[in-house]
Amino acid sequence: MKSFRKVLTQHTNSRRAFVNITRDVAAAVAESGIREGLCLVNSMHITSSIFINDNESGLHQDMEKWLETLAPEKPHSRYAHNGYEDNADAHLKRSIMGREAVVAVTGGKLDLGTWEAIFYGEFDGKRDKRLLIKIIGE
């Protein structure tokens, strides 16, 4: 079995964003040379997420509103963690959205459903964050 590792860096200019990283992950699969296996993508930061969903702007707006309802950014005083930093809401949003996605690799390509795309979810941006891509297989 072969193994391939690649680290991507994401930097958003806004505090929160959803970034389609499907092409970057597909490029890593091609670079790996692995034809059959599994591809793990995970955020290496506790205030960002990796998830799979539809690449549709209305859905992204709905997700943003939903997350803000569940874990509003302000007032900062509502969270004990904000005595250290002002990003407690970002930690909670990451807990809801998850840290990683695993996708099958078939015939050297990501085996995604018709409308599926891989997204990086940023909840405390404006700085560099690392994403790990780990591909295993033959």
Side-chain angles (χ1 to χ4, degrees), residues 111-126:
D111 208 344
L112 290 165
T114 302
W115 303 109
E116 289 184 326
I118 305 168
F119 290 91
Y120 168 71
E122 176 59 76
F123 309 117
D124 186 30
K126 300 184 180 181

Side-chain angles (χ1 to χ4, degrees), residues 18 53-65:
F18 297 136
N53 215 312
D54 192 356
N55 188 21
E56 195 276 311
S57 62
L59 176 62
H60 297 177
Q61 291 172 18
D62 293 341
M63 291 168 87
E64 171 68 22
K65 288 178 191 172

Side-chain angles (χ1 to χ4, degrees), residues 55-128:
N55 188 21
E56 195 276 311
S57 62
L59 176 62
H60 297 177
Q61 291 172 18
D62 293 341
M63 291 168 87
E64 171 68 22
K65 288 178 191 172
W66 176 70
L67 287 169
E68 195 59 22
T69 299
L70 294 174
E73 178 186 352
K74 295 179 181 174
H76 291 148
S77 61
R78 77 178 352 193
Y79 302 109
H81 175 73
N82 283 349
Y84 304 99
E85 296 182 270
D86 65 353
N87 65 357
D89 69 297
H91 289 275
L92 297 171
K93 289 171 174 125
R94 191 270 177 103
S95 295
I96 293 165
M97 296 302 290
R99 81 183 277 271
E100 80 256 333
V102 176
V103 179
V105 175
T106 304
K109 297 185 185 301
L110 292 169
D111 208 344
L112 290 165
T114 302
W115 303 109
E116 289 184 326
I118 305 168
F119 290 91
Y120 168 71
E122 176 59 76
F123 309 117
D124 186 30
K126 300 184 180 181
R127 60 187 170 175
D128 288 351

Side-chain angles (χ1 to χ4, degrees), residues 10-71:
Q10 284 291 321
H11 184 102
T12 62
N13 293 324
S14 58
R15 187 169 194 272
R16 291 189 297 272
F18 297 136
V19 180
N20 187 338
I21 60 169
T22 309
R23 285 190 180 126
D24 296 324
V25 177
V29 170
E31 184 181 347
S32 77
I34 293 173
R35 307 277 305 148
E36 301 291 326
L38 295 173
C39 176
L40 165 79
V41 185
N42 83 271
S43 173
M44 299 172 79
H45 295 270
I46 54 178
T47 57
S48 59
S49 180
I50 301 295
F51 63 94
I52 296 175
N53 215 312
D54 192 356
N55 188 21
E56 195 276 311
S57 62
L59 176 62
H60 297 177
Q61 291 172 18
D62 293 341
M63 291 168 87
E64 171 68 22
K65 288 178 191 172
W66 176 70
L67 287 169
E68 195 59 22
T69 299
L70 294 174

